[in-house]
Amino acid sequence: MFSPSIFYAAKKAGTKIVMTIRNYRLICPNGLMYVHGKICRDCVGKTIPYPAIMKKCYRDDMGATTAIVGMLGVHNILNTWSNKVDGYICISAFVKQQLIKSGFDSGKLHVKYNFVTSPVAPEFTSEGYYIFVGRTSDQKGLPLLLKTFEENKKELMIVGDGPLNEMAESFARRNANITFAGELPLEETYRRIAKAKALIAPSQSDEPFGRTIAEAFAHGTPVIGSALGGISELIQDGVNGFLFDPYQATALQETITKFENFENAELMRRGAFDSYQKKFTSNMNYDSVMEIYNKVLTS
């Protein structure tokens, strides 16, 4: 919600500007490219993202959505994003590609993943349960997850908070294999991730990144995740987890079965931690961000 007017003031002062893109706000009024239970890219590439108004994409409010559409339209026409910003940090290659489709200069777009630090060391062994960590919502794929584990009877722990808490609690009451832990302190959440057989990220939307995946890798925990958005570029089948199509009814269960039949579980846990060390440490993040800043300063 930070006003783009700050860019005009900074440029007037001769200051270089690097903007980090953590969602799709510059090309989608609600910032999610997801509305009313579906992926939506209707506004991508439009100077004035008017389709959002009738869908009431922002907070399900036509007035608020119209205001956001107006702001984006004005700054698209003024070329604010191209003339006043010297570089962009995209938190995944997927985010970068969506901006390119919307007309952003690829030369100004730099990819840098988020990083994770944790006081909890990886154990490379599990206590036999799967874990979901995140917002309990349709967008995050909670209904699909609950239905799948109600049917397969494998142990599932849900950590998080959101609009579908009541649904999660109801499934937990009916199914002894499902535990709803609610929101937990971060370190405790990390301990439970470290002891899980795998983290499941069944998102129904094009997530810009997928922080819980990096958190799982930091603890040597493989991930079974949606083949959508930024998630799809973090997971390598058979190396640090498996991908599945969240819009194919049986795909999650089939992928869990594939994971269960994987011959060397410890090898995959090591692969997950190796992915963390190669891509998501604070030292690597520092090197990457300084490289980007130096490129912008010398451009």
Side-chain angles (χ1 to χ4, degrees):
M1 300 304 292
F2 201 39
S3 170
S5 64
I6 189 68
F7 299 150
Y8 286 79
K11 293 301 285 187
K12 186 176 181 180
T15 302
K16 293 276 190 175
I17 298 169
V18 178
M19 182 177 184
T20 299
I21 306 297
R22 301 190 182 279
N23 57 34
Y24 305 108
R25 179 75 68 203
L26 299 188
I27 59 175
C28 168
N30 76 3
L32 303 172
M33 296 204 307
Y34 180 90
V35 65
H36 305 319
K38 295 180 181 179
I39 291 173
C40 176
R41 299 174 187 169
D42 289 352
C43 293
V44 175
K46 288 184 170 57
T47 300
I48 300 176
Y50 61 87
I53 296 174
M54 295 308 297
K55 292 185 178 184
K56 298 187 289 186
C57 291
Y58 185 69
R59 298 183 178 177
D60 198 30
D61 185 305
M62 185 173 289
T65 302
T66 301
I68 295 292
V69 168
M71 181 275 291
L72 291 174
V74 166
H75 287 287
N76 284 337
I77 292 169
L78 292 175
N79 290 318
T80 298
W81 318 124
S82 58
N83 295 337
K84 302 301 180 183
V85 181
D86 300 287
Y88 293 90
I89 294 176
C90 305
I91 60 174
S92 68
F94 182 83
V95 170
K96 177 179 177 178
Q97 288 304 314
Q98 301 313 303
L99 292 178
I100 290 173
K101 289 178 182 178
S102 294
F104 281 68
D105 179 359
S106 62
K108 289 186 175 183
L109 304 177
H110 310 273
V111 176
K112 182 190 71 63
Y113 293 143
N114 292 329
F115 71 96
V116 173
T117 59
S118 173
V120 179
E123 299 182 17
F124 302 111
T125 59
S126 81
E127 294 186 356
Y129 61 86
Y130 293 88
I131 192 167
F132 166 90
V133 178
R135 183 169 168 78
T136 57
S137 67
D138 287 319
Q139 181 190 351
K140 297 295 184 180
L142 191 72
L144 170 65
L145 181 73
L146 291 169
K147 182 179 178 181
T148 299
F149 277 82
E150 183 173 53
E151 292 173 355
N152 68 23
K153 300 304 179 184
K154 299 183 185 301
E155 285 190 66
L156 171 67
M157 180 179 295
I158 297 170
V159 178
D161 186 31
L164 297 186
N165 281 1
E166 188 174 328
M167 175 187 288
E169 291 169 351
S170 176
F171 270 79
R173 285 194 298 269
R174 299 198 310 264
N175 300 276
N177 61 308
I178 298 176
T179 300
F180 177 58
E183 192 170 17
L184 297 175
L186 185 60
E187 186 169 338
E188 179 60 25
T189 298
Y190 283 169
R191 292 188 190 285
R192 299 198 185 197
I193 289 175
K195 294 179 182 297
K197 183 181 289 187
L199 180 137
I200 299 184
S203 180
Q204 303 275 334
S205 70
D206 286 322
E207 298 278 354
F209 178 65
R211 181 177 173 83
T212 57
I213 295 170
E215 290 172 326
F217 291 165
H219 300 95
T221 301
V223 179
I224 297 172
S226 299
L228 295 174
I231 292 176
S232 64
E233 67 192 74
L234 305 183
I235 300 171
Q236 295 174 272
D237 276 353
V239 176
N240 53 23
F242 288 105
L243 290 166
F244 72 97
D245 180 355
Y247 285 97
Q248 204 283 318
T250 61
L252 175 55
Q253 179 52 54
E254 291 168 358
T255 307
I256 291 171
T257 300
K258 184 192 299 185
F259 175 78
E260 295 264 337
N261 292 334
F262 189 75
E263 292 182 356
N264 195 329
E266 184 178 348
L267 183 64
M268 189 175 286
R269 297 186 81 84
R270 295 283 175 180
F273 188 62
D274 185 56
S275 296
Y276 165 70
Q277 291 182 307
K278 288 180 177 178
K279 298 179 180 179
F280 309 114
T281 67
S282 58
N283 287 339
M284 293 196 68
N285 186 275
Y286 174 81
D287 291 341
S288 295
V289 78
M290 292 309 297
E291 181 181 355
I292 292 168
Y293 288 163
N294 285 326
K295 284 181 179 178
V296 171
L297 287 170
T298 56
S299 62

